Amino acid sequence: MKVVIQKLNGLWHLVIGSYQIRTPFPATQDRALVVTYARRAYPGAKIFQRD
């Protein structure tokens, strides 16, 4: 499974397939926190960042 981390509309989003999941973290928050959140929510997934 691939999880893409992306900034949209001032928030971090997780993009999984055709689904976009909004996280509770603003875009000003550190990306490492969002990566940790994604790893807990989707263990074993490959995580990528899109700018």
Side-chain angles (χ1 to χ4, degrees):
M1 175 187 325
K2 292 183 190 176
V3 176
V4 178
I5 298 172
Q6 184 176 14
K7 288 183 190 179
L8 287 172
N9 300 327
L11 290 173
W12 287 103
H13 286 72
L14 302 179
V15 180
I16 304 160
S18 63
Y19 294 101
Q20 251 180 355
I21 301 170
R22 183 176 54 179
T23 65
F25 304 109
T28 57
Q29 195 78 23
D30 188 29
R31 183 180 57 93
L33 183 62
V34 181
V35 170
T36 303
Y37 175 79
R39 289 192 192 280
R40 285 186 183 164
Y42 302 99
K46 292 183 181 181
I47 298 177
F48 301 95
Q49 180 182 357
R50 185 183 308 165
D51 287 330

